[in-house]
Amino acid sequence: MLHQRVLGSAEALQKIIDIIPSPVFVKDTAHRWVLMNGAMEEILGHPREALLGKSDYDVFPPDEAAVFWATDDRVFSNCETVENEERLTNAQGLVRQVVTRKTLLRLGPGRGTLFLVGIIQDVTIYREAAAQSHFLSRHDMLTGLPNRTLFQERLREAVGHGNRELDNVAVLLIDLDGFKAVNDAYGHEAGDELLRVVAARLAEAVRTSDTVARLGGDEFGILLRGGLSLQTAAERIAADICEVVAVPVQLRQSQTMVSASVGITHFSKPDTGPEELLRQADIAMYSVKRTGRHGHRAYEPGLEIIANRQLHADLRHALERHQLHVVYQPQWNPPDGKLTGYEALLRWEHPHYGPVGPAVFIPIAEQSGLIGTLGNFALRAACTTAMQWPASVRITVNVSPLQLVEDKLRDEVCAVLKATGLAAERLELEITESTPAIDSAGALKTLHQLKALGVRIALDDFGTGTASLDMMHRFSFDRMKIDGRFVANLPQDLRGHAIIGSLISLAHSLGAKVTAEGVERMEQAFCLMELGCDEMQGYLFGHPNARKTVL
Ligand code: C2E
Ligand code: CA
Ligand code: CA
């Protein structure tokens, strides 16, 4: 038959396989190409004439040829069809990713002759697309850093079952303070630019083996792995980060500045998963935010309750359930060894958590609008108690700056003085310097009203806040209280020495007395006396305690 003769010719066979768009080839049992189509020539980058009769080793790099050769052998010896994904480097050095399907074929008269037929599928673009989408789904396009997904993957891998070196992993969670203000003031483009600068600074601050990721918005995460004594290393890196982030950034139109709040947590228990680590770092970071931002803090179990929403609700009922009380810490004038007064400090006995400190619940009260009620309770309790003391002993009550901006405070103070019969001169109100609200006109007006009543006003935590020489310029405080952190390392701390010396002379030149807080040791007291400090307060002279209360 004519068509059989025609189709049986080598020429016809070649023409037919040339139509197939995928590369097709036939090899003999000696691994030599005996037939191939145009697509095969194209993918190999050689003309057919140069390839027929050759084997893989004549064309490909030896490692690739060895792989091809070995799959050929499997096909020949096991008579099986083999499908393999391989790398293929062509004559021009172009690398393709291919899937090759090889099948054994017996052709010809008698028992026939064995051939291997291969069909190649070029999957390069699919693999590239997959790699690209894998990259895209794991990176943040704005900064080029890993995103939350990749960060969590790395974290999971770091704390995976195999990890026996528990103190080898630490997580830092970084949230920018003031980022929203930059966005609002200069626009999103400027905000994006700022994020890119911060990202680069963070990446610079750690080793290349650590992971810096943008977790979303203005939040970044760092995974630290390995390194001697990671505990201190993590704290040091966190401190460095606070420093580098706070360096002013030159944007296109303007210069700006943000700071960082950093939460740290260490992988310390084998059953701590990645989610738990992130949660702990988040709680630590959140507590930095609450206590004035810009700084770092390591997670500790007690911190949870700060983030506990339930606590807000519990605080609402604390008063009526009699869980709040006031304790009193003595203040002394060491040169004449005289007790001059007591500071009233609030305490909360939580039915579930036990004692919760004011550093935790005062910020909650401020946020949830309860500070007025709590402040009034403390004032009333303190003045009532003070009536039992000698008339020479002063009572000091803390007042939140938020109470100052409301205009009820004057009337409340009047009412309490009237109800308890306490002389106005015996009451001193302490206002903390660390909140910007103190600068407002409303606060200033209240301060003047209080002073007009004969009540004394002290500036708490003097030297730590943003406030303000301007404030001192506009209002004459009766007392400045020097924060315990300046006192902590006296007398060795020469800088603390210098700061306290200057604060004291500043206060004195403005006609204010000075009380130093946090005095715990004799040598601190001597040093402060030498510097001219008027009064002192601290564990050396007495802990806050409840004995003086009648409530
Ligand atoms: P503060 O006014 O600076 O109070 C001093 C804090 O230092 C108190 O902590 C006190 O217990 C602690 N302290 C006293 N002596 C020493 C010492 O020698 N060494 C050390 N390390 N610490 C010492 P506390 O009672 O936890 O109060 C924390 C803060 O809570 C207070 O800081 C004050 O700002 C706020 N606070 C307390 N009671 C009230 C209140 O009734 N109203 C308002 N608005 N704030 C309050
Ligand atoms: Ca105080
Ligand atoms: Ca203080």
Side-chain angles (χ1 to χ4, degrees):
M1 299 265 265
L2 181 63
H3 72 269
Q4 279 176 335
R5 274 212 317 277
V6 172
L7 285 179
S9 75
E11 191 196 348
L13 185 57
Q14 184 66 52
K15 280 189 172 160
I16 290 169
I17 65 169
D18 276 344
I19 295 171
I20 301 172
S22 299
V24 173
F25 60 88
V26 179
K27 283 175 173 175
D28 63 15
T29 47
H31 299 262
R32 287 180 306 228
W33 283 296
V34 293
L35 186 69
M36 66 176 61
N37 68 354
M40 183 71 183
E41 289 177 286
E42 216 170 284
I43 198 166
L44 296 186
H46 285 290
R48 189 178 312 166
E49 302 74 50
L51 292 167
L52 294 177
K54 298 275 174 51
S55 78
D56 295 314
Y57 282 100
D58 301 317
V59 177
F60 302 115
D63 54 332
E64 282 178 23
V67 173
F68 300 148
W69 195 280
T71 45
D72 288 359
D73 278 342
R74 269 172 61 200
V75 175
F76 285 126
S77 55
N78 304 341
C79 300
E80 60 178 328
T81 296
V82 174
E83 193 172 285
N84 227 16
E85 180 162 343
E86 297 136 350
R87 197 188 58 193
L88 183 155
T89 308
N90 79 359
Q92 286 75 39
L94 206 71
V95 180
R96 318 294 302 167
Q97 197 66 23
V98 298
V99 173
T100 312
R101 186 183 164 87
K102 295 175 178 172
T103 308
L104 198 64
L105 208 59
R106 193 179 288 275
L107 294 171
R111 292 193 55 233
T113 312
L114 284 179
F115 294 97
L116 179 151
V117 183
I119 300 184
I120 291 177
Q121 190 192 357
D122 185 347
V123 294
T124 313
I125 52 166
Y126 306 112
R127 297 298 175 262
E128 278 174 0
Q132 178 81 350
S133 93
H134 187 267
F135 182 88
L136 289 178
S137 68
R138 279 164 180 73
H139 286 80
D140 165 50
M141 286 308 105
L142 180 67
T143 59
L145 292 178
N147 65 10
R148 187 179 279 274
T149 308
L150 182 54
F151 190 70
Q152 279 174 326
E153 273 177 20
R154 299 245 171 106
L155 199 53
R156 206 164 296 130
E157 182 190 312
V159 302
H161 289 308
N163 191 344
R164 299 242 174 297
E165 298 154 72
L166 288 181
D167 59 1
N168 244 358
V169 177
V171 176
L172 269 54
L173 203 70
I174 299 142
D175 195 279
L176 303 184
D177 316 316
F179 176 72
K180 192 176 171 299
V182 174
N183 241 353
D184 291 349
Y186 303 115
H188 288 285
E189 247 174 63
D192 287 353
E193 210 175 317
L194 179 63
L195 287 174
R196 276 191 289 263
V197 171
V198 169
R201 289 182 184 175
L202 294 180
E204 188 109 311
V206 299
R207 301 162 303 181
T208 44
S209 54
D210 300 322
T211 301
V212 179
R214 177 166 172 235
L215 304 181
D218 58 352
E219 193 176 275
F220 296 86
I222 296 183
L223 170 64
L224 301 174
R225 296 189 68 172
L228 293 169
S229 175
L230 206 55
Q231 198 102 358
T232 47
E235 304 251 333
R236 203 194 57 238
I237 290 172
D240 288 351
I241 283 170
C242 290
E243 209 166 289
V244 296
V245 170
V247 172
V249 177
Q250 185 62 48
L251 299 176
R252 236 161 288 156
Q253 325 96 315
S254 45
Q255 205 184 44
T256 186
M257 219 177 112
V258 287
S259 60
S261 294
V262 185
I264 308 168
T265 190
H266 296 274
F267 180 48
S268 53
K269 286 203 209 101
D271 53 353
T272 316
E275 290 78 21
E276 173 62 13
L277 280 179
L278 275 176
R279 193 188 69 87
Q280 291 179 356
D282 190 55
I283 286 170
M285 185 274 289
Y286 190 52
S287 94
V288 175
K289 286 259 184 227
R290 276 176 177 280
T291 48
R293 310 158 145 210
H294 183 53
H296 58 90
R297 181 162 192 173
Y299 169 79
E300 49 186 301
L303 279 183
E304 248 102 350
I305 58 172
I306 300 178
N308 188 342
R309 298 259 140 229
Q310 183 60 35
L311 214 60
H312 290 237
D314 293 348
L315 190 58
R316 290 192 183 280
H317 305 292
L319 256 185
E320 70 215 41
R321 293 179 186 164
H322 306 288
Q323 293 163 355
L324 288 171
H325 67 279
V326 180
V327 293
Y328 299 90
Q329 185 175 34
Q331 299 166 327
W332 293 83
N333 179 336
D336 27 317
K338 263 199 355 224
L339 172 84
T340 54
Y342 285 95
E343 177 172 4
L345 294 161
L346 265 177
R347 294 290 178 262
W348 180 14
E349 194 63 35
H350 190 281
H352 177 66
Y353 296 116
V356 178
V360 171
F361 70 81
I362 294 291
I364 296 178
E366 288 177 338
Q367 276 179 9
S368 47
L370 289 170
I371 189 65
T373 317
L374 254 62
N376 191 256
F377 167 79
L379 181 70
R380 199 167 282 271
C383 291
T384 308
T385 304
M387 281 306 285
Q388 305 170 351
W389 304 335
S392 61
V393 177
R394 189 178 66 224
I395 177 72
T396 300
V397 181
N398 289 285
V399 169
S400 158
L402 291 186
Q403 290 172 269
L404 280 187
V405 284
E406 290 179 6
D407 33 315
K408 287 192 307 218
L409 191 62
R410 180 198 167 273
D411 293 345
E412 280 182 8
V413 170
C414 266
V416 168
L417 290 177
K418 194 155 173 239
T420 58
L422 189 82
E425 308 77 63
R426 287 183 63 195
L427 176 63
E428 190 165 278
L429 298 178
E430 264 180 30
I431 288 101
T432 171
E433 194 196 4
S434 58
T435 316
I438 194 174
D439 266 342
S440 75
L444 202 62
K445 185 173 137 226
T446 311
L447 286 179
H448 282 296
Q449 287 175 342
L450 292 167
K451 193 126 189 192
L453 291 176
V455 171
R456 283 169 217 222
I457 311 290
L459 187 58
D460 205 354
D461 306 332
F462 182 36
T464 63
T466 50
S468 113
L469 291 169
D470 180 46
M471 190 68 195
M472 285 182 249
H473 186 217
R474 284 192 282 164
F475 187 80
S476 74
F477 288 94
D478 299 287
R479 181 180 306 278
M480 312 288 192
K481 291 191 80 176
I482 294 180
D483 193 71
R485 80 187 74 167
F486 298 117
V487 175
N489 297 317
L490 288 183
Q492 292 82 4
D493 175 13
L494 295 180
R495 301 175 78 87
H497 213 269
I499 290 172
I500 292 178
S502 324
L503 291 182
I504 290 175
S505 56
L506 175 62
H508 284 172
S509 64
L510 292 171
K513 296 269 188 222
V514 177
T515 299
E517 289 184 314
V519 184
E520 295 179 353
R521 298 186 308 276
M522 254 345 226
E523 63 266 29
Q524 293 172 323
F526 285 130
C527 180
L528 287 162
M529 251 192 292
E530 245 168 56
L531 286 167
C533 183
D534 303 293
E535 291 186 19
M536 294 177 207
Q537 183 180 347
Y539 298 161
L540 177 66
F541 303 99
H543 283 256
N545 73 59
R547 258 174 289 148
K548 298 280 180 217
T549 181
V550 292
L551 289 168

